Amino acid sequence: AQSVAQPEDQVNVAEGNPLTVKCTYSVSGNPYLFWYVQYPNRGLQFLLKYITGDNLVKGSYGFEAEFNKSQTSFHLNKPSALVSDSALYFCAVKKGSGGGADGLTFGKGTHLIIQP
Amino acid sequence: DTAVSQTPKYLVTQMGNDKSIKCEQNLGHDTMYWYKQDSKKFLKIMFSYNNKELIINETVPNRFSPKSPDKAHLNLHINSLELGDSAVYFCASSQLVQETQYFGPGTRLLVL
Protein backbone atom coordinates (compact mmCIF):
# COMPACT_ATOMS: atom_id res chain seq x y z
CA ALA A 1 0.00 0.00 0.00
CA GLN A 2 1.18 3.52 -0.70
CA SER A 3 1.44 6.32 1.83
CA VAL A 4 2.48 9.94 2.20
CA ALA A 5 3.89 11.64 5.26
CA GLN A 6 3.80 15.38 5.84
CA PRO A 7 5.61 15.63 9.17
CA GLU A 8 4.64 19.23 9.95
CA ASP A 9 1.08 20.22 10.78
CA GLN A 10 2.02 23.87 10.40
CA VAL A 11 4.88 25.87 8.93
CA ASN A 12 5.37 29.54 9.80
CA VAL A 13 7.48 31.74 7.55
CA ALA A 14 8.03 35.48 7.39
CA GLU A 15 7.04 37.16 4.14
CA GLY A 16 9.97 37.35 1.75
CA ASN A 17 11.78 34.39 3.29
CA PRO A 18 12.17 31.03 1.54
CA LEU A 19 9.70 28.32 2.47
CA THR A 20 9.79 24.53 2.49
CA VAL A 21 6.93 22.13 3.05
CA LYS A 22 8.14 18.59 3.57
CA CYS A 23 6.79 15.39 2.05
CA THR A 24 8.00 11.80 2.03
CA TYR A 25 6.28 8.91 0.33
CA SER A 26 6.14 5.16 0.13
CA VAL A 27 4.99 3.33 -3.00
CA SER A 28 5.98 0.22 -4.87
CA GLY A 29 7.61 0.95 -8.18
CA ASN A 30 7.94 4.40 -9.68
CA PRO A 31 5.86 7.12 -8.06
CA TYR A 32 3.79 9.86 -9.57
CA LEU A 33 3.95 12.78 -7.11
CA PHE A 34 1.75 15.84 -6.81
CA TRP A 35 1.32 18.98 -4.75
CA TYR A 36 -2.05 20.63 -4.30
CA VAL A 37 -3.11 23.72 -2.39
CA GLN A 38 -6.46 24.32 -0.69
CA TYR A 39 -7.68 27.75 0.32
CA PRO A 40 -10.42 28.02 2.97
CA ASN A 41 -13.76 26.65 1.78
CA ARG A 42 -12.37 25.97 -1.67
CA GLY A 43 -11.44 22.97 -3.75
CA LEU A 44 -7.95 21.70 -4.37
CA GLN A 45 -5.78 23.52 -6.88
CA PHE A 46 -2.99 21.71 -8.68
CA LEU A 47 0.49 23.19 -8.14
CA LEU A 48 2.95 20.79 -9.74
CA LYS A 49 3.78 17.16 -10.40
CA TYR A 50 6.64 14.77 -10.96
CA ILE A 51 6.08 11.92 -13.37
CA THR A 52 9.50 11.33 -14.89
CA GLY A 53 12.52 13.25 -16.10
CA ASP A 54 14.17 16.19 -14.37
CA ASN A 55 14.07 15.83 -10.59
CA LEU A 56 13.39 19.55 -10.14
CA VAL A 57 9.90 20.49 -11.22
CA LYS A 58 8.50 23.99 -11.44
CA GLY A 59 4.87 24.78 -10.93
CA SER A 60 2.32 27.52 -10.44
CA TYR A 61 2.82 30.69 -8.39
CA GLY A 62 6.61 30.31 -8.23
CA PHE A 63 6.58 26.98 -6.41
CA GLU A 64 8.97 24.18 -7.18
CA ALA A 65 9.66 20.72 -5.80
CA GLU A 66 12.56 18.31 -5.93
CA PHE A 67 12.10 14.59 -6.34
CA ASN A 68 14.70 12.67 -4.34
CA LYS A 69 14.44 8.96 -4.98
CA SER A 70 17.03 7.87 -2.42
CA GLN A 71 15.29 9.81 0.36
CA THR A 72 11.80 9.13 -1.04
CA SER A 73 11.04 12.81 -0.65
CA PHE A 74 9.26 15.48 -2.66
CA HIS A 75 9.60 18.70 -0.69
CA LEU A 76 7.84 21.85 -1.87
CA ASN A 77 9.87 25.07 -2.01
CA LYS A 78 9.48 28.70 -2.86
CA PRO A 79 12.35 31.22 -2.77
CA SER A 80 10.33 34.14 -1.44
CA ALA A 81 7.05 33.65 0.43
CA LEU A 82 4.00 35.86 -0.02
CA VAL A 83 1.20 36.40 2.50
CA SER A 84 -1.17 35.11 -0.18
CA ASP A 85 0.63 31.73 -0.09
CA SER A 86 -0.99 31.05 3.28
CA ALA A 87 -3.14 27.95 2.77
CA LEU A 88 -3.32 24.18 3.35
CA TYR A 89 -0.87 22.20 1.21
CA PHE A 90 -1.25 18.55 0.30
CA CYS A 91 1.31 16.16 -1.09
CA ALA A 92 -0.08 13.15 -2.96
CA VAL A 93 1.25 10.01 -4.59
CA LYS A 94 0.02 7.33 -6.88
CA LYS A 95 1.67 4.29 -8.27
CA GLY A 96 3.24 4.80 -11.66
CA SER A 97 2.81 2.40 -14.50
CA GLY A 98 0.50 -0.40 -13.54
CA GLY A 99 -1.40 1.79 -11.14
CA GLY A 100 -4.51 1.65 -13.24
CA ALA A 101 -7.27 4.04 -12.30
CA ASP A 102 -6.18 4.23 -8.67
CA GLY A 103 -6.89 7.51 -6.98
CA LEU A 104 -4.32 9.67 -5.25
CA THR A 105 -3.11 8.92 -1.74
CA PHE A 106 -2.83 12.21 0.14
CA GLY A 107 -0.76 13.31 3.09
CA LYS A 108 -2.60 14.86 6.03
CA GLY A 109 -1.81 18.36 4.86
CA THR A 110 0.42 21.16 6.13
CA HIS A 111 -0.90 24.58 7.08
CA LEU A 112 1.42 27.21 5.69
CA ILE A 113 1.23 30.56 7.45
CA ILE A 114 3.10 33.50 6.00
CA GLN A 115 3.53 36.36 8.44
CA PRO A 116 3.71 39.93 7.13
CA ASP B 1 -16.56 27.52 -18.30
CA THR B 2 -15.99 25.66 -15.03
CA ALA B 3 -13.84 22.59 -15.61
CA VAL B 4 -15.22 20.30 -12.89
CA SER B 5 -18.52 21.28 -11.33
CA GLN B 6 -20.53 19.76 -8.51
CA THR B 7 -24.09 20.25 -7.34
CA PRO B 8 -25.25 21.02 -4.80
CA LYS B 9 -22.59 23.06 -3.04
CA TYR B 10 -24.24 22.49 0.32
CA LEU B 11 -26.49 19.62 1.39
CA VAL B 12 -28.18 19.40 4.76
CA THR B 13 -30.31 16.34 5.41
CA GLN B 14 -31.65 14.01 8.06
CA MET B 15 -30.23 10.65 9.06
CA GLY B 16 -31.69 7.79 7.07
CA ASN B 17 -32.36 9.83 3.94
CA ASP B 18 -31.02 9.01 0.48
CA LYS B 19 -29.22 11.74 -1.44
CA SER B 20 -27.20 12.28 -4.59
CA ILE B 21 -24.36 14.59 -5.51
CA LYS B 22 -23.77 15.36 -9.16
CA CYS B 23 -20.44 15.89 -10.86
CA GLU B 24 -19.74 17.05 -14.38
CA GLN B 25 -16.48 17.72 -16.16
CA ASN B 26 -16.11 19.54 -19.47
CA LEU B 27 -12.44 18.73 -19.95
CA GLY B 28 -12.96 15.65 -22.08
CA HIS B 29 -11.24 13.52 -19.47
CA ASP B 30 -11.67 9.77 -19.40
CA THR B 31 -11.31 9.08 -15.67
CA MET B 32 -13.30 10.49 -12.77
CA TYR B 33 -12.98 10.18 -9.01
CA TRP B 34 -14.75 10.82 -5.75
CA TYR B 35 -12.86 11.83 -2.61
CA LYS B 36 -14.05 12.43 0.95
CA GLN B 37 -12.51 15.12 3.15
CA ASP B 38 -13.34 14.74 6.82
CA SER B 39 -13.46 17.36 9.55
CA LYS B 40 -9.72 17.03 10.12
CA LYS B 41 -9.11 17.76 6.43
CA PHE B 42 -7.98 14.19 5.68
CA LEU B 43 -8.60 13.37 2.03
CA LYS B 44 -9.38 9.83 1.01
CA ILE B 45 -10.20 8.27 -2.33
CA MET B 46 -13.62 6.65 -2.50
CA PHE B 47 -13.99 5.65 -6.15
CA SER B 48 -12.11 5.81 -9.41
CA TYR B 49 -13.96 5.20 -12.66
CA ASN B 50 -13.23 5.11 -16.34
CA ASN B 51 -14.88 3.25 -19.14
CA LYS B 52 -12.83 0.19 -18.37
CA GLU B 53 -12.92 -0.20 -14.65
CA LEU B 54 -14.46 0.90 -11.40
CA ILE B 55 -12.15 0.83 -8.42
CA ILE B 56 -13.82 0.98 -5.05
CA ASN B 57 -11.89 1.78 -1.91
CA GLU B 58 -12.59 -1.18 0.32
CA THR B 59 -13.31 1.05 3.31
CA VAL B 60 -16.26 2.72 1.60
CA PRO B 61 -19.62 1.40 2.82
CA ASN B 62 -21.84 -0.11 0.15
CA ARG B 63 -24.40 2.61 0.94
CA PHE B 64 -22.28 4.72 -1.37
CA SER B 65 -22.49 4.04 -5.08
CA PRO B 66 -21.13 5.91 -8.11
CA LYS B 67 -23.19 6.13 -11.25
CA SER B 68 -21.88 7.34 -14.58
CA PRO B 69 -24.55 8.12 -17.20
CA ASP B 70 -21.84 9.17 -19.63
CA LYS B 71 -18.15 9.96 -19.79
CA ALA B 72 -18.60 13.53 -18.54
CA HIS B 73 -20.59 12.68 -15.42
CA LEU B 74 -19.97 10.67 -12.27
CA ASN B 75 -22.70 11.05 -9.68
CA LEU B 76 -22.50 9.85 -6.09
CA HIS B 77 -25.54 8.21 -4.52
CA ILE B 78 -25.72 7.73 -0.79
CA ASN B 79 -28.38 5.59 0.85
CA SER B 80 -29.45 5.62 4.49
CA LEU B 81 -27.29 8.56 5.46
CA GLU B 82 -25.50 8.43 8.81
CA LEU B 83 -24.05 11.16 11.01
CA GLY B 84 -20.53 10.00 10.11
CA ASP B 85 -21.16 10.73 6.46
CA SER B 86 -20.93 14.44 7.20
CA ALA B 87 -17.91 15.67 5.24
CA VAL B 88 -16.89 17.53 2.13
CA TYR B 89 -17.04 15.41 -1.00
CA PHE B 90 -14.83 16.27 -3.94
CA CYS B 91 -15.15 15.09 -7.48
CA ALA B 92 -12.08 15.07 -9.73
CA SER B 93 -11.15 14.07 -13.26
CA SER B 94 -8.03 13.30 -15.24
CA GLN B 95 -7.05 12.42 -18.77
CA LEU B 96 -5.36 9.06 -18.66
CA VAL B 97 -4.92 7.58 -15.26
CA GLN B 98 -1.47 8.97 -14.65
CA GLU B 99 -2.17 12.58 -15.38
CA THR B 100 -3.10 15.50 -13.21
CA GLN B 101 -6.42 15.30 -11.42
CA TYR B 102 -8.53 18.45 -11.46
CA PHE B 103 -10.89 18.91 -8.57
CA GLY B 104 -14.35 20.34 -8.29
CA PRO B 105 -15.27 22.92 -5.63
CA GLY B 106 -16.65 20.32 -3.25
CA THR B 107 -20.05 19.51 -1.74
CA ARG B 108 -20.39 20.08 1.97
CA LEU B 109 -22.73 17.41 3.36
CA LEU B 110 -24.19 17.76 6.83
CA VAL B 111 -26.26 14.91 8.22
CA LEU B 112 -28.43 15.82 11.22
Side-chain angles (χ1 to χ4, degrees), chain B residues 3 30 41 44 48 51 53 102 106:
Chain B
D30 62 2
K41 304 295 186 183
K44 201 164 186 180
S48 304
N51 60 0
E53 61 183 328
Y102 292 93

mmCIF file of all heavy atoms in Angstrom, chain B residues 3 30 41 44 48 51 53 102 106:
data_model
loop_
_atom_site.group_PDB
_atom_site.id
_atom_site.type_symbol
_atom_site.label_atom_id
_atom_site.label_comp_id
_atom_site.label_asym_id
_atom_site.label_seq_id
_atom_site.Cartn_x
_atom_site.Cartn_y
_atom_site.Cartn_z
ATOM 1 N N ALA B 3 -14.372 23.839 -15.115
ATOM 2 C CA ALA B 3 -13.840 22.588 -15.613
ATOM 3 C C ALA B 3 -14.533 21.391 -14.961
ATOM 4 O O ALA B 3 -15.007 20.497 -15.659
ATOM 5 C CB ALA B 3 -12.345 22.546 -15.373
ATOM 6 N N ASP B 30 -11.104 11.117 -19.322
ATOM 7 C CA ASP B 30 -11.665 9.772 -19.400
ATOM 8 C C ASP B 30 -11.763 9.073 -18.045
ATOM 9 O O ASP B 30 -12.281 7.955 -17.972
ATOM 10 C CB ASP B 30 -10.846 8.903 -20.359
ATOM 11 C CG ASP B 30 -9.409 8.712 -19.905
ATOM 12 O OD1 ASP B 30 -9.034 9.218 -18.834
ATOM 13 O OD2 ASP B 30 -8.643 8.050 -20.643
ATOM 14 N N LYS B 41 -9.681 17.443 7.744
ATOM 15 C CA LYS B 41 -9.110 17.759 6.426
ATOM 16 C C LYS B 41 -8.405 16.574 5.770
ATOM 17 O O LYS B 41 -7.723 16.768 4.764
ATOM 18 C CB LYS B 41 -8.130 18.948 6.489
ATOM 19 C CG LYS B 41 -8.743 20.199 7.083
ATOM 20 C CD LYS B 41 -9.848 20.725 6.204
ATOM 21 C CE LYS B 41 -10.363 22.055 6.718
ATOM 22 N NZ LYS B 41 -11.504 22.567 5.904
ATOM 23 N N LYS B 44 -9.487 11.244 1.301
ATOM 24 C CA LYS B 44 -9.376 9.830 1.013
ATOM 25 C C LYS B 44 -10.153 9.492 -0.251
ATOM 26 O O LYS B 44 -11.280 9.950 -0.431
ATOM 27 C CB LYS B 44 -9.915 9.018 2.182
ATOM 28 C CG LYS B 44 -9.406 7.591 2.216
ATOM 29 C CD LYS B 44 -9.646 6.985 3.584
ATOM 30 C CE LYS B 44 -9.000 5.620 3.670
ATOM 31 N NZ LYS B 44 -9.202 4.987 4.969
ATOM 32 N N SER B 48 -12.714 5.375 -8.157
ATOM 33 C CA SER B 48 -12.112 5.805 -9.413
ATOM 34 C C SER B 48 -12.892 5.106 -10.514
ATOM 35 O O SER B 48 -13.236 3.927 -10.379
ATOM 36 C CB SER B 48 -10.649 5.376 -9.510
ATOM 37 O OG SER B 48 -9.907 5.847 -8.430
ATOM 38 N N ASN B 51 -13.986 4.126 -18.391
ATOM 39 C CA ASN B 51 -14.879 3.252 -19.143
ATOM 40 C C ASN B 51 -14.429 1.788 -19.099
ATOM 41 O O ASN B 51 -15.092 0.915 -19.641
ATOM 42 C CB ASN B 51 -15.033 3.729 -20.587
ATOM 43 C CG ASN B 51 -13.709 3.742 -21.313
ATOM 44 O OD1 ASN B 51 -12.674 3.402 -20.741
ATOM 45 N ND2 ASN B 51 -13.726 4.149 -22.558
ATOM 46 N N GLU B 53 -12.891 0.393 -15.977
ATOM 47 C CA GLU B 53 -12.915 -0.205 -14.653
ATOM 48 C C GLU B 53 -13.451 0.759 -13.605
ATOM 49 O O GLU B 53 -13.320 1.974 -13.720
ATOM 50 C CB GLU B 53 -11.517 -0.674 -14.252
ATOM 51 C CG GLU B 53 -10.482 0.430 -14.190
ATOM 52 C CD GLU B 53 -9.097 -0.110 -13.849
ATOM 53 O OE1 GLU B 53 -9.004 -1.090 -13.116
ATOM 54 O OE2 GLU B 53 -8.115 0.491 -14.324
ATOM 55 N N TYR B 102 -7.959 17.121 -11.688
ATOM 56 C CA TYR B 102 -8.531 18.448 -11.463
ATOM 57 C C TYR B 102 -9.785 18.282 -10.620
ATOM 58 O O TYR B 102 -10.649 17.465 -10.938
ATOM 59 C CB TYR B 102 -8.827 19.144 -12.792
ATOM 60 C CG TYR B 102 -7.561 19.483 -13.528
ATOM 61 C CD1 TYR B 102 -7.049 18.603 -14.469
ATOM 62 C CD2 TYR B 102 -6.861 20.652 -13.245
ATOM 63 C CE1 TYR B 102 -5.860 18.886 -15.132
ATOM 64 C CE2 TYR B 102 -5.672 20.940 -13.909
ATOM 65 C CZ TYR B 102 -5.178 20.048 -14.847
ATOM 66 O OH TYR B 102 -4.000 20.325 -15.481
ATOM 67 N N GLY B 106 -16.244 21.043 -4.444
ATOM 68 C CA GLY B 106 -16.649 20.316 -3.250
ATOM 69 C C GLY B 106 -18.130 20.483 -2.931
ATOM 70 O O GLY B 106 -18.757 21.491 -3.285
#
